[in-house]
Amino acid sequence: MKILKYFFLFTITALVFYGTAEAQNHYVFGANGSYYIPFGSLADRFKPTAGGSFYFGKETDEIWTWLGRAEYFIFDNENTEKLFLKRKLKVNGVESDYEIPLPDLKLSLEAAGFAAVAEFKILETNFLNVKGTFGFGITRWLYERSAYYDSLYIDTTGAGGMKLAQVLNVPAGSQVDWSGTFDLGVDVNVNVYGPVWINTGVRYKAIIGEIWPALDLDFENISTFQMFDIRAGVRIKL
């Protein structure tokens, strides 16, 4: 991973510079690994996933820091417990509700974006600071859904065996778009040595995009992609 190698080399350079120059700790850069937890309608399609971000910015005064951040993640682990059809079926004269799983359905949501982020200090000591953060940006996302061609049966054991519920003939679907994003969060930074800090945090993130419905699969539209981002990484202050 070339980008991680360059980040490591830049960190070593920063440590040398810190020991030889009279820096005022005004510039910051770093990288984070993230664990994205979807909620709302997005959680009905996907399980949590991993991703990452890189950022660079400047402390403009004792309170505020402004950053530019690049970010990437992909949801590609389907929430199979929620991927099913609900159908009513009459067996032996009695109508009942059945849930039919869709084990072969494949979904993914890939996103890459940029954001302007503002940080403001909430608490600061000699080796630790706590900051509130908020950001606004733009994200390019790609949603893909596999085709689904199958005859779905319901197990009515004891009342007639297997019974055909529906024949699905749903073509694949794909969407790509640019959408606005915003996020709110809290970061905790702990000084390790000189300009090197360990950064941890949590934030709420929303991408204002829309995934179209697929009525044959009981999929309603998703108008906003909401998630929590739990992250950790390294920050350098110069």
Side-chain angles (χ1 to χ4, degrees):
M1 303 242 332
K2 290 184 178 181
I3 194 165
L4 294 178
K5 179 178 71 175
Y6 294 150
F7 180 77
F8 175 76
L9 292 174
F10 196 76
T11 300
I12 297 300
T13 303
L15 287 170
V16 174
F17 179 80
Y18 180 83
T20 58
E22 296 181 357
Q24 297 300 314
N25 287 350
H26 287 322
Y27 290 94
V28 297
F29 71 94
N32 282 325
S34 291
Y35 187 65
Y36 297 92
I37 305 173
F39 71 95
S41 299
L42 195 64
D44 291 337
R45 309 264 181 108
F46 299 106
K47 292 182 178 180
T49 192
S53 61
F54 296 87
Y55 59 88
F56 178 82
K58 183 178 182 180
E59 294 181 348
T60 56
D61 56 36
E62 294 183 356
I63 301 297
W64 292 95
T65 301
W66 288 90
L67 305 169
R69 180 180 65 215
E71 183 175 22
Y72 173 83
F73 60 89
I74 179 171
F75 288 106
D76 56 2
N77 189 7
E78 301 86 1
N79 187 354
T80 54
E81 295 179 359
K82 297 291 184 70
L83 295 180
F84 54 79
L85 299 180
K86 291 183 178 180
R87 293 292 183 267
K88 292 183 180 293
L89 196 65
K90 184 176 289 188
V91 179
N92 292 339
V94 179
E95 188 175 66
S96 302
D97 293 320
Y98 292 91
E99 293 181 351
I100 311 170
L102 301 170
D104 298 326
L105 186 63
K106 301 300 180 184
L107 305 172
S108 67
L109 176 63
E110 185 177 13
F114 300 91
V117 181
E119 300 181 341
F120 57 93
K121 289 181 182 177
I122 298 174
L123 174 68
E124 184 174 33
T125 68
N126 290 333
F127 66 93
L128 176 145
N129 64 61
V130 179
K131 295 185 175 186
T133 72
F134 60 91
F136 299 90
I138 188 168
T139 295
R140 184 183 185 276
W141 55 270
L142 170 64
Y143 173 74
E144 294 186 310
R145 172 179 48 77
S146 68
Y148 211 95
Y149 306 109
D150 198 5
S151 298
L152 303 181
Y153 289 85
I154 293 174
D155 186 359
T156 59
T157 302
M162 303 298 292
K163 189 175 182 64
L164 180 65
Q166 184 172 346
V167 176
L168 283 182
N169 186 7
V170 183
S174 179
Q175 287 179 250
V176 60
D177 204 351
W178 290 89
S179 296
T181 66
F182 71 91
D183 57 80
L184 298 168
V186 176
D187 277 7
V188 177
N189 301 292
V190 179
N191 187 232
V192 178
Y193 170 77
V196 181
W197 297 68
I198 296 297
N199 168 253
T200 61
V202 61
R203 62 175 168 148
Y204 163 80
K205 180 179 179 67
I207 301 174
I208 315 301
E210 181 177 13
I211 294 176
W212 300 328
L215 299 181
D216 286 343
L217 297 172
D218 287 355
F219 280 4
E220 297 181 356
N221 71 307
I222 300 177
S223 58
T224 302
F225 315 150
Q226 300 182 81
M227 64 202 75
F228 289 110
D229 169 12
I230 300 173
R231 62 189 186 276
V234 177
R235 167 176 289 205
I236 307 298
K237 293 177 62 176
L238 297 176

